[in-house]
Amino acid sequence: MSLTIFTGGTVIVDPSPANGTLTASAIAFRDGLVAAHGDEAAALADEPGAEVIDLAGGTLAPAPGDGHAHPLLGGLEALGPRVREAADLRGILDAVATWKAAHPDAEWIVGASYDATFAEGGLFDARWLDEVTGDTPTVLRAWDYHTAWVNSAALAAGGITAETPDPPLGRIVRRDDGSPLGTLQEAAANDFLAEVVPAFSLEQRVEALERATREYAEQGTTWVQDAWVELDALPVYLAAAEAGRLHTRLNLAFRADPARWREQLDEFVAARDRVRSLGSDRRGADQRESDRPGPDRLTAETVKFFADGVVESHTAALIEPYADRPDDRGLPNWTARELAAAATAFDAAGFQLHIHAIGDAANRDALDALDTAIRSNPARERHHVIAHVAVLDPADVARFAELDVIANFEPYWAQCDAVMRDLTIPHLGHPRDEWQYLIGSVHRSGATVSFGSDWPVTTHDWRPALATAITRHSHTEPGAPAWLPDERIDAGTALAAYTSGIARQALAGADRGTLGIGRVADAVWLSADPLSIAPEAIADLTVLGTWLAGDETFRR
């Protein structure tokens, strides 16, 4: 039996303005659930064994989640050159040179993730890396994780020459003479990383996963959608869960391959069953979540589809051609018919679907595919997700509510930064430049909105992202004009996207997402109230503690 009472501050029970933005003066957690509010909660402090925590004027809020991220990839970045911190091309090369000097015996240099705006068009030359790597094969991922930059030794190791054809659904960027430049896009990058680059060891990957989930706990996060999992990585997650090395909940989304998704149906069902069986032989059905060990922090209920690529490399799928490439509509990964067939099959198998869709054509195809799946299969409660929703034709806004599909946005992207200004907007042209991250429109339509980070593409810190959703500009520029101001949302709605919106996405909408009586006690202790301070100040909030099902996972 456990009892924790929080007093001396503000308790946000439910931030959503639609529900009245409920608050309380105190709250009690008993055995992993919310037991009482206000005076009734404070009165429980006299019970034997009760722990009383003084919020010291701070705020206890429902813990945020991350609706789209890649924690294993993010954790692994620490093992390579620190290229993310570079301020320019020279900084990337210096970081690689520093790492090589510190690891003279390394057979490969593997790192992530560089800023693609440091070279015109996001195209990087192998010869630039050759200057600092010599004959050590080197591969760096771009921040979008859809592109890789390799040196000449890596091209040779992969057998990539002027005669090598582009792989299906990928591009080998070439010089005028047909020789490979050193920039690989989409499948060309992913296949290279999977088939040529030596894999990290199991222990290295478990350590990376533990590092990532600990970082999440330290910022108050209690659930993460791992949005790209290959089956050969499943042993990493199983090992981390069984060893109790997960510090937040993770839900795995297995990637559906357009070339072999029919064979994957049985494979994914077996993998889901394997995860569901974790720890089942040593717990009773009546045990509360916080009594259970690491395995119960891992689920695998989701299948991931990449409908397309990204705008910045001209691989996002568009209805009309790119403004700066009048013959190019992008690189869809699925035909509309195959995407609908696969969505219908995985929906019939009981999976939640999670579709990466950047371009307006990809978003339309994703909505069409989910519509087909819903109409083709027996009625059931569904919580399917379209992730990113970066470029959305206004004609498709209402369809999210009509189909009851969750729109998972990455709100940190909803600002006019260097990437947007130098790459995205010139590629899209007008009016599509104003069809981006229509968070306000989708919310006002009545659809469920959830938020994520896509870490390590961008920061996993929800605080600056929350500020961006409210202001539509960087928190570092408080006087900046709002980009597409009609798409701003208020602070309560934005926080609800991280809490109750995430809870629905996590298939736990009836149990988590608010601090209502009887809900699972997932909470974050903040230094101030994010609903009442200036939005730009949210990024500077201090996380003082995190509780997952009433158990403390972090305390400053």
Side-chain angles (χ1 to χ4, degrees), residues 4-5 28 54 90 109 118 140 154 209 214 235 237-238 275 299 304 317-318 440 505 518 548:
T4 307
I5 298 101
D54 182 358
R90 184 71 255 170
I109 300 173
F118 295 163
L140 305 177
L209 196 57
R214 182 178 286 113
Y237 296 91
L238 296 174
V275 173
T299 55
K304 164 71 174 290
L318 301 182
Q505 183 181 334
L548 188 159

Side-chain angles (χ1 to χ4, degrees), residues 352-365:
Q352 177 191 48
L353 309 184
H354 188 105
I355 306 178
H356 161 116
I358 295 290
D360 54 356
N363 275 286
R364 183 166 292 175
D365 285 349

Side-chain angles (χ1 to χ4, degrees), residues 58-263:
T59 296
L60 196 77
D66 191 330
H68 186 102
H70 310 285
L72 180 55
L73 295 177
L76 288 171
E77 283 198 4
L79 300 182
R82 303 180 71 86
V83 297
R84 179 177 285 273
E85 300 171 5
D88 51 25
L89 177 60
R90 184 71 255 170
I92 297 175
L93 297 175
D94 289 344
V96 173
T98 298
W99 193 92
K100 179 175 170 62
H103 304 82
D105 299 325
E107 296 183 3
W108 276 75
I109 300 173
V110 181
S113 47
Y114 63 87
D115 187 330
T117 64
F118 295 163
E120 185 175 356
L123 305 180
F124 288 71
D125 197 311
R127 294 173 296 196
W128 303 342
L129 274 178
D130 294 347
E131 296 175 8
V132 295
T133 61
D135 60 0
T136 303
T138 301
V139 56
L140 305 177
R141 286 184 185 265
W143 42 246
D144 63 13
Y145 271 71
H146 288 253
T147 307
W149 175 22
V150 299
N151 69 352
S152 297
L155 288 170
I160 299 176
T161 68
E163 287 70 43
T164 305
D166 287 351
L169 308 178
R171 289 178 184 156
I172 301 170
V173 179
R174 302 173 193 274
R175 302 186 179 95
D176 291 341
D177 64 2
S179 62
L181 177 68
T183 298
L184 309 176
Q185 296 176 342
E186 300 298 337
N190 295 328
D191 292 350
F192 186 90
L193 286 154
E195 299 168 7
V196 179
V197 181
F200 291 104
S201 70
L202 176 63
E203 179 54 29
Q204 283 178 312
R205 290 184 288 170
V206 169
E207 287 179 358
L209 196 57
E210 181 172 30
R211 181 186 309 113
T213 59
R214 182 178 286 113
E215 289 179 14
Y216 269 115
E218 290 172 354
Q219 66 170 38
T221 301
T222 56
W223 182 87
V224 178
Q225 174 62 68
D226 194 318
W228 179 4
V229 178
E230 303 290 345
L231 274 187
D232 61 5
L234 182 58
V236 179
Y237 296 91
L238 296 174
E242 290 173 328
R245 296 173 70 174
L246 298 179
H247 302 276
T248 189
R249 302 184 191 88
L250 290 181
N251 180 57
L252 309 184
F254 299 121
R255 182 186 68 89
D257 186 336
R260 58 179 308 272
W261 65 265
R262 290 171 176 83
E263 296 93 324

Side-chain angles (χ1 to χ4, degrees), residues 381-422:
E381 186 175 354
R382 290 176 168 89
H383 305 278
H384 296 323
V385 179
I386 298 179
H388 309 317
V389 198
V391 184
L392 184 66
D393 189 312
D396 290 324
V397 167
R399 298 184 68 195
F400 282 87
E402 291 167 0
L403 296 173
D404 201 19
V405 171
I406 299 167
N408 173 258
F409 291 96
E410 282 53 64
Y412 191 71
W413 301 352
Q415 56 178 295
C416 196
D417 58 8
V419 174
M420 182 65 66
R421 184 178 57 251
D422 298 342

